[in-house]
Each structure stands twice: as structure tokens, then as C-alpha cells.
Amino acid sequence: MSRSIPPKYVRHTLIRLQSRGYQAYLVGGCVRDILMGRQPNDWDICTSALPHQVMEVFPTARPTGLKHGTVTVYINSRSLEVTTFRSEGSYADHRHPDSVSFVGDLHTDLSRRDFTMNAIALPVDGLIRDPFGGMEDIKNGIVRCVGEPERRFEEDALRMLRALRFAARLGFEIEADTMAAIEKKAPLAAALAAERVRDETEKIMLTAAPDRVFELVRLGLLDAFLFERAEHPAPFAALRRIIKKPMERWVLLALILLEQGAIHSVEKFLSSLRLDSRTVRCGEDTGEILQNELPESPYKWKKLLNSYGVASVSCAVRCHDALHGGKKYNELKAVLKSGECFSVKHLAIGGDELLELGLRGRELGDMLAFLLDYVMEYPENNRREVLLSLAGTSED
Ligand code: ATP
Ligand code: MG
């Protein structure tokens, strides 16, 4: 283990557990990432110490997932999760083990983990423990289940989506038996909570290979949210051409699925996956905006911005460019950068000034709309005196 990886507080935790006579290893994603020369997201330790024993060793630790044997250890201002070696009972709901029992050996703990590359343990000194050939699979760029794939996916259907997520993130292929098991067990994904499916799908879409989300569709892992499966992978490549932000990628995914007849409504698709209301609205607006040609003049851009707001118009234009290869987003950016008015809020006069002029109710609303339309066409005239005189009277 090198001196700088893992950081001192992590080494310190491992050493303290060991010095009290417990086994302690780095495990899971952080080991995989170290072996691949990537920066780990977080640090996970597994240990033979029972949760109360971990808390004895680290008196400031908090039991954060006691049911699963997880205790969070705080060192200075840093925290990390320490989990007791465990095995899992049966999985009646294809997601959560019905029971968890603590065990004394590392091998049992590693064997409950999902993929060989995530089932490698690294002690602070001594030999790396890799009973399922994870290092070889990492070297060959392969995602392979620990144990018998069909059974592992029956236990927890989320693992099928995780397999695709790791493949997309790391640029790996899925090993043949693991893939065959996904093909067979994909219907079990229908039992997963929509939020879990959303999170895994989003993580795939935020990798450097977002178009691999097509594999989720092809394999049937999104069937619960689709009218039918999309058949053509090529349109998914557009996901590579749009900004790497969740909202834009979700909306574009929905448009691609709509285009292929895999869904009937962008809005329903996004809300069934429990996307936030802003994303759902943006999806709905984008669908509407792209039913017409995009604007050709600043005036028309401003009309569109006034109707839908900056977020929806930007998202729609980005989707348009990703799908059709245009440069309309540059035009939109120029309009936004000009600072020209496209909303009543930014008119040089307000409703109260029109009230003072004696305008009321509908008349007042109509006047604001008229002035806004005028200013959108003649931005240089967004000046108080001009607008007051247009409103029917001059200041004096
Ligand atoms: P990331 O870098 O995205 O955090 P990770 O491999 O650390 O990837 P986590 O979800 O943080 O993934 O889980 C930590 C470890 O716990 C995994 O590496 C794996 O060993 C184990 N694990 C997580 N989820 C499952 C699961 N559903 N089934 C089996 N083992 C799992
Ligand atoms: Mg992790």
C-alpha cells in the first residue's frame, strides 16, 4: 500500500483496529479504484470486530447502520464507514436480505459482495485478499458476479443495474454468464423501487459512456417504465453530445425514447421514475418547444424565453443541438448575454406606475403585455420615459 493512498486517517483506523487484535481491511469500491489508479469516492473498511467493539475502539463513533453492522468512525473532521464481516440470509423481495448475521471470516464477507472487482480486500500491510479473481477481471476489464449470477440477481435485482453502471463507468464489458443471467432475470427489476432505478440510470448517464443506457433498455431493465423497448442504439449517441448534467440528460433520454415509440409521454416517463418536478416540467416544456422550429431572430428567442423561461428553453435547445447537430445554443446564449428584456419583471416601468396612470385590471395587464412585446422588438427603447409615453401619457 502506498504512503499517500489511502490517507492517514484511513490508515490510522485500520491500524487501531488491528492493534486491538481485530482483522481490518479496506474493501469494495476504494480497493477497486486504487488498483485502477483512480481516486476513490469513499473509504470502506470491513472488520472482524462487532459493532459494539468498533465503538469501544473509537468512542466517538456512531452506529449509522447497525442492522448491517455499520458504524461511522470520526477522525478529526473526517468520517468513514466500518462494517463488521457479515453474511446475508435469503432475499424474499429481490432487494433486501431478510436477515444479516455477523461472521468471523473475511472470505464469507467477500462472497456476499456483488462483483469480483468489488470483492477484494486490502490490509494496511500484508497480502491483498482476492479469492474471486477480481484483480484479473479488472486487468481484463470484465464485470463478473461473485458466485452464481442468476442466484445473485434473484437475491438482489439492483445488482443487474449496478453491473451496467460499473461497465459504463469503467469502460468494462460484462462477462458472458453474468450477461446471460441479466437477460434471464431482467423481469425482476420491475420489483425495484423507482428511486433506485432512477439513481442507477442517472449514474450511467453521467459517465463518459452515457449511451450505454441503451443496454438497460435493450435488456429490459427499464421495462416497468416503458411502453415498449427502443430498438435502435444509434440515437442514444446524442447523450454524449449534451452537457453532462442530470436534467439535460434525462430530458434527452426521454426524447430519444419518445422518438422510438418506447414511451408515449416525456412527462409521464420522468415522473414515473420519480424525477424532481423541475426536471419533469423541463421535459414537458422541451417536448412542446421542439414541436416547432426554433427561433431565427432575437425577437422570437425572447418570445420563447418569455413563454417557457430560461431553464426550459436552454434545455430544449441543447437537446435540439445534440439530436440534430446544430449550433442553436450559441444563438440563444447571445440573446441571454445581450441582457435584453424578455419578461415583465425587467421592463423599465412596473405595474404600480401604470396604476398611477389610471390603468386597472385587464387593461393594465394588456398594457404590460403590449409594452413587453414592444421592448422585445426594440430593446433599445426599454426606457422609462419611452414606455410611459407609450402607455398613453408622458411624465409631465
Ligand atoms: P462507488 O465508487 O460508486 O461508491 P462502490 O463499489 O463503492 O462504488 P457502493 O455502493 O459504495 O459501491 O458499495 C460498496 C461495496 O459494497 C461494493 O463495492 C460491494 O462490495 C458492496 N455492495 C454494494 N451494493 C451491493 C449489492 N447490491 N450487492 C452486493 N454487494 C454490494
Ligand atoms: Mg462506494
Side-chain angles (χ1 to χ4, degrees):
M1 204 184 277
S2 89
R3 280 195 181 283
S4 54
I5 292 180
K8 222 166 156 185
Y9 74 99
V10 177
R11 296 167 69 88
H12 173 79
T13 308
L14 289 164
I15 291 167
R16 238 165 90 189
L17 284 163
Q18 276 186 355
S19 65
R20 298 291 192 94
Y22 302 113
Q23 295 176 56
Y25 297 87
L26 284 175
V27 72
C30 62
V31 177
R32 179 196 68 226
D33 290 341
I34 292 173
L35 293 171
M36 293 186 70
R38 298 164 66 103
Q39 180 59 39
N41 284 337
D42 43 29
W43 301 92
D44 288 316
I45 288 178
C46 64
T47 179
S48 58
L50 293 168
H52 76 271
Q53 294 170 323
V54 177
M55 293 179 61
E56 274 163 27
V57 179
F58 302 98
T60 58
R62 292 263 170 285
T64 41
L66 221 42
K67 224 171 86 193
H68 300 109
T70 303
V71 166
T72 301
V73 169
Y74 299 89
I75 294 183
N76 302 328
S77 55
R78 320 298 293 267
S79 68
L80 78 170
E81 292 197 340
V82 177
T83 304
T84 305
F85 294 156
R86 66 171 207 243
S87 67
E88 291 168 352
S90 54
Y91 289 71
D93 66 352
H94 307 298
R95 176 70 190 106
H96 306 98
D98 301 329
S99 63
V100 162
S101 35
F102 301 134
V103 296
D105 70 302
L106 172 69
H107 188 279
T108 306
D109 185 84
L110 293 179
S111 65
R112 66 148 177 111
R113 293 176 183 271
D114 47 7
F115 306 112
T116 58
M117 63 181 167
N118 291 341
I120 308 172
L122 188 62
V124 78
D125 43 27
L127 280 183
I128 199 160
R129 304 279 292 271
D130 177 23
F132 305 105
M135 285 164 77
E136 184 69 12
D137 284 340
I138 289 175
K139 201 172 81 197
N140 295 322
I142 285 173
V143 180
R144 183 198 306 269
C145 277
V146 169
E148 207 270 298
E150 283 188 24
R151 190 174 64 80
R152 301 312 310 280
F153 295 143
E154 274 166 19
E155 288 172 355
D156 180 359
L158 192 73
R159 291 176 186 148
M160 296 186 278
L161 287 91
R162 284 174 60 88
L164 287 163
R165 190 229 305 173
F166 289 121
R169 192 203 298 166
L170 305 172
F172 282 17
E173 290 306 320
I174 296 177
E175 176 272 334
D177 286 347
T178 299
M179 184 55 110
I182 297 179
E183 276 163 6
K184 193 159 165 199
K185 297 295 170 187
L188 296 178
L192 294 170
E195 290 81 355
R196 299 280 76 76
V197 178
R198 174 197 65 200
D199 292 350
E200 292 298 327
T201 306
E202 182 166 304
K203 284 178 184 171
I204 293 173
M205 287 201 292
L206 295 178
T207 67
D211 44 332
R212 289 188 79 168
V213 77
F214 173 71
E215 292 174 45
L216 283 185
V217 176
R218 180 183 69 79
L219 290 161
L221 294 168
L222 296 185
D223 276 3
F225 306 94
L226 302 180
F227 174 69
E228 62 184 24
R229 292 183 201 168
E231 289 184 352
H232 306 291
F236 290 81
L239 288 164
R240 287 177 177 260
R241 297 191 291 266
I242 199 164
I243 188 167
K244 207 190 232 186
K245 285 192 176 167
M247 188 171 81
E248 281 74 2
R249 293 211 162 168
W250 273 112
V251 172
L252 182 55
L253 173 68
L255 292 180
I256 294 167
L257 293 169
L258 187 70
E259 181 66 32
Q260 293 201 39
I263 59 172
H264 290 327
S265 152
V266 167
E267 184 203 354
K268 282 200 188 115
F269 171 69
L270 295 173
S271 33
S272 65
L273 273 160
R274 308 277 186 275
L275 268 302
D276 58 289
S277 55
R278 183 169 171 261
T279 304
V280 175
R281 197 172 127 223
C282 214
E284 204 182 349
D285 287 352
T286 293
E288 258 178 54
I289 293 170
L290 295 184
Q291 269 169 17
N292 299 305
E293 292 287 308
L294 287 176
E296 292 293 344
S297 69
Y299 170 69
K300 291 207 166 139
W301 277 115
K302 287 183 266 179
K303 294 281 277 183
L304 196 65
L305 285 164
N306 177 250
S307 307
Y308 290 99
V310 178
S312 289
V313 175
S314 300
C315 180
V317 178
R318 284 181 149 133
C319 287
H320 169 275
D321 286 358
L323 287 166
H324 309 296
K327 290 244 188 299
K328 296 298 277 185
Y329 188 67
N330 289 345
E331 281 179 38
L332 170 65
K333 254 188 357 200
V335 172
L336 291 172
K337 211 169 154 205
S338 73
E340 289 170 8
C341 168
F342 56 81
S343 112
V344 168
K345 280 201 305 270
H346 300 125
L347 274 179
I349 58 170
D352 21 351
E353 278 163 290
L354 295 181
L355 274 174
E356 276 174 31
L357 293 178
L359 291 167
R360 295 286 178 275
R362 180 148 177 204
E363 227 183 358
L364 190 151
D366 286 350
M367 178 54 72
L368 281 173
F370 164 76
L371 293 176
L372 177 63
D373 197 60
Y374 171 78
V375 158
M376 288 197 285
E377 194 153 8
Y378 303 101
E380 64 285 2
N381 285 346
N382 189 16
R383 286 181 287 132
R384 191 165 176 275
E385 65 279 11
V386 176
L387 300 188
L388 281 173
S389 79
L390 269 175
T393 184
S394 69
E395 248 185 304
D396 43 21

